[in-house]
Amino acid sequence: MAIDDLIQDAQRRMDKSVEAAQTEFSTLRTGRASPALLDRIQIDYYGQQTPLKQLATINTPEPRMLTVQPFDPSSLQAIERAIQESDLGLTPSNDGQIIRLPIPQLTEERRKELVKQVRHMAEEGRVAARNVRRDALHHLKKLEQDGDAGADDVHRAEDRLQKVTDEHVQRIDAALKAKEAEIMEV
């Protein structure tokens, strides 16, 4: 049953690469506000790089507005600076307690740029899935060479592995298509 374990392990690892690609997609800015946009932002909090979501409550009061309310009001300036320095292109404004982030309408040029970014992220996800397949194929060949599995079993396992890989690549492509549509939506 070593072959089944190998394929299940490969499937688990490919699932993780699909999830990672989808998580990456969610951190990209589209026309509407989403708290996930701020997931990548790290704040220098008492000399420690800390994720924003651990330091503040992030809400979406309107479709084009995010609000960030720090748990510790003294971290307000550091949070505002980190958002300004990020690659999101957002301009924060604060009233001393809450940071408001209006999400501007995307220009056509910026949309095309974001689509390129998303396609690159999707390709990285596909490559990760293929690397898992390559790794599993290597282990299958080793099983065959060591005499732990027959050639027919290994060949069937290779076919199953290819189907699993194709399935995961299709899931990444479906997520890519949905994200592209979301970005291009005016």
Side-chain angles (χ1 to χ4, degrees):
M1 287 300 119
I3 290 176
D4 288 340
D5 294 341
L6 224 144
I7 290 176
Q8 285 175 345
D9 178 55
Q11 188 157 10
R12 270 193 302 277
R13 289 170 51 203
M14 285 183 200
D15 284 342
K16 285 180 185 165
S17 62
V18 170
E19 284 172 31
Q22 290 171 333
T23 303
E24 280 285 304
F25 290 169
S26 73
T27 64
L28 265 184
R29 191 181 99 175
T30 58
R32 65 176 73 101
S34 162
L37 290 176
L38 303 175
D39 281 354
R40 290 185 293 173
I41 294 186
Q42 300 280 321
I43 285 76
D44 185 16
Y45 188 64
Y46 291 111
Q48 195 76 25
Q49 288 297 322
T50 311
L52 176 59
K53 60 184 171 187
Q54 289 181 10
L55 295 176
T57 304
I58 303 168
N59 290 314
T60 316
E62 302 168 25
R64 293 199 174 280
M65 173 78 71
L66 283 174
T67 59
V68 179
Q69 185 167 16
F71 302 130
D72 175 9
S74 68
S75 65
L76 193 74
Q77 297 301 324
I79 292 172
E80 193 173 13
R81 193 175 326 108
I83 292 170
Q84 279 177 329
E85 292 170 358
S86 73
D87 62 350
L88 293 173
L90 299 176
T91 309
S93 64
N94 83 61
D95 61 7
Q97 294 175 0
I98 291 181
I99 297 173
R100 286 182 175 71
L101 294 166
I103 310 288
Q105 189 75 31
L106 293 171
T107 63
E108 188 65 27
E109 188 178 305
R110 181 71 178 134
R111 288 175 197 277
K112 288 179 180 170
E113 226 174 86
L114 287 172
V115 166
K116 281 182 190 173
Q117 245 181 314
V118 168
R119 287 181 180 159
H120 179 72
M121 290 173 178
E123 187 53 35
E124 286 176 354
R126 288 188 211 103
V127 167
R130 290 186 199 118
N131 285 343
V132 171
R133 178 191 63 196
R134 187 192 63 217
D135 199 33
L137 285 173
H138 174 75
H139 287 296
L140 283 171
K141 296 281 188 224
K142 188 157 174 39
L143 282 175
E144 186 179 5
Q145 286 172 355
D146 295 347
D148 295 335
D152 290 346
D153 293 335
V154 168
H155 185 71
R156 277 192 293 276
E158 286 173 357
D159 290 345
R160 280 175 51 201
L161 194 57
Q162 185 60 48
K163 284 182 182 136
V164 167
T165 305
D166 292 344
E167 191 180 294
H168 284 80
V169 167
Q170 284 175 343
R171 283 174 47 197
I172 290 172
D173 288 342
L176 168 66
K177 197 170 188 172
K179 189 64 176 183
E180 279 182 349
E182 187 181 325
I183 289 171
M184 295 310 285
E185 180 184 306
V186 178

